[in-house]
Amino acid sequence: MSYECIIVGGGIAGLQAAIQLGRYEHRVLVIDAGSGRSVLCRKYHNLLGWPEGVSGEYLRQLGRQHAENHDVEFADDFIVDAYRDEPGFVLKSRSGREYHCLTLLLATGVVDRIPDDLPELLPCLGITVYVCPDCDGYEIRGLSTLVLGSGEAGARMALTLQPRTHQLVYINHGRQAVEPDTAARLKHKQIPVIDQAIGEVLVEGDGHFRGVRLTNGEMVQAERAFVAFGGNQVNSQLAEKLGIERLENKHILTDPRTKMTNVRNVWAAGDIAVHSEQAAIAMGDGSQAAIWIHKALSALSDR
């Protein structure tokens, strides 16, 4: 079956776009691999209407129900290839299935790099362990906090967070070098740096971070943590296949008014685009892209 629009990615941006397009009564399919930030985040703290916070899982559940109420379809699948086939596009999944559409929205997001040897961090994400200082810097105010990271990425995170708490320690788990100027700033701000790998993350109950035990046996206790290892994965591989313009960090460039990419009838929304990576912005991106997708589909139907 051919759709008027296919949205690749069922996170915050993709779901908001699906709801908007469903309300226009377009034939819409959301293809979702069931991974990404919104799957892992156990609490968003800075969203209008949720003063006590809300989990990504619950937001996704509500968003999917909302979209389905407008006859939006969903497929649990993983797209590995995309190409133009006039007047639209063909998407191929890992299983070999093909999907056809007139317009395409990429909302495949970003995956934060959390080392495989620190799996205990995952249940804490959004509760006591965070990745975004703009979203969650407020949550550590005055609390003992560790920055768990590697090299320059972790050091810069520590400097960004320093105004929020004076009880801050940077643990350079990745043992990568820190630039001399950055190291001097850490020293000036009196932020201790521990160049030692983490042997164990200490967690109590349901996602309550309590500190780490280093590989040398030393325990470093804290109430909160931020993760900053650098090298996050920007899921814009499909954009590359379609010839879409990307920056060196692989984020996708879009028109600020329409969210369309440089490839006609392909849009991008959410964390893969070039802006601050926040759930509220992803929602706005999704709605904005959907409005212009609707305009494009209306123009196509008038031909």
Side-chain angles (χ1 to χ4, degrees):
M1 180 177 178
S2 182
Y3 294 88
E4 290 179 280
C5 182
I6 288 181
I7 300 169
V8 184
I12 306 302
L15 287 170
Q16 187 67 65
I19 291 166
Q20 183 72 28
L21 287 168
R23 289 171 60 84
Y24 286 127
E25 300 183 277
H26 290 301
R27 296 191 315 278
V28 179
L29 173 68
V30 178
I31 302 175
D32 185 38
S35 59
R37 280 176 166 173
S38 61
V39 173
L40 296 175
C41 183
R42 298 192 60 197
K43 188 170 286 191
Y44 291 104
H45 297 270
N46 61 339
L47 289 179
L48 178 68
W50 302 96
E52 303 303 318
V54 59
S55 73
E57 181 182 6
Y58 187 57
L59 274 182
R60 287 169 62 95
Q61 177 185 334
L62 290 178
R64 184 160 181 161
Q65 290 173 352
H66 193 167
E68 288 176 336
N69 287 341
H70 293 294
D71 297 321
V72 173
E73 297 179 36
F74 284 80
D76 299 324
D77 212 339
F78 187 90
I79 301 301
V80 296
D81 197 11
Y83 59 89
R84 183 178 287 281
D85 184 27
E86 293 292 352
F89 303 90
V90 176
L91 308 180
K92 290 188 175 182
S93 73
R94 184 176 286 164
S95 64
R97 184 175 178 183
E98 287 191 355
Y99 301 90
H100 299 259
C101 59
L102 290 174
T103 62
L104 177 62
L105 172 61
L106 301 178
T108 43
V110 171
V111 177
D112 296 285
R113 187 165 78 87
I114 298 177
D116 292 337
D117 58 350
L118 304 178
E120 300 90 351
L121 292 173
L122 296 179
C124 301
L125 290 176
I127 298 178
T128 53
V129 175
Y130 315 103
V131 298
C132 172
D134 297 308
C135 304
D136 293 315
Y138 180 84
E139 302 303 320
I140 69 166
R141 63 200 190 285
L143 298 177
S144 56
T145 302
L146 304 182
V147 174
L148 313 178
S150 181
E152 193 73 6
R156 290 181 179 177
M157 177 67 82
L159 289 168
T160 298
L161 294 171
Q162 188 272 335
R164 294 292 192 174
T165 179
H166 295 295
Q167 302 178 66
L168 194 65
V169 176
Y170 171 35
I171 298 181
N172 187 4
H173 173 73
R175 311 294 297 278
Q176 297 296 310
V178 174
E179 294 292 332
D181 287 349
T182 307
R185 291 178 62 201
L186 289 169
K187 184 176 181 180
H188 176 71
K189 295 291 185 179
Q190 298 183 330
I191 301 173
V193 178
I194 299 176
D195 286 310
Q196 183 73 227
I198 298 165
E200 181 185 3
V201 176
L202 307 175
V203 178
E204 285 183 4
D206 188 21
H208 295 287
F209 178 82
R210 289 294 179 257
V212 300
R213 182 175 287 107
L214 304 176
T215 52
N216 65 3
E218 178 185 354
M219 186 183 302
V220 185
Q221 295 181 325
E223 299 162 278
R224 300 288 187 270
F226 264 82
V227 176
F229 288 93
N232 292 346
Q233 178 181 312
V234 182
N235 293 325
S236 59
Q237 298 90 335
L238 293 177
E240 181 180 19
K241 291 177 180 294
L242 289 164
I244 290 171
E245 186 177 2
R246 303 183 299 168
L247 298 180
E248 286 186 10
N249 63 7
K250 299 183 181 179
H251 282 276
I252 297 173
L253 286 171
T254 63
D255 182 286
R257 184 183 183 201
T258 67
K259 302 304 174 185
M260 189 189 289
T261 70
N262 63 300
V263 173
R264 181 173 54 87
N265 290 338
V266 182
W267 285 259
D271 291 348
I272 59 169
V274 180
H275 54 53
S276 177
E277 298 170 13
Q278 289 201 352
I281 293 174
M283 288 182 184
D285 270 7
S287 288
Q288 193 171 349
I291 289 168
W292 288 91
I293 291 169
H294 168 65
K295 292 179 186 294
L297 290 170
S298 298
L300 287 171
S301 66
D302 289 340
R303 290 180 181 176

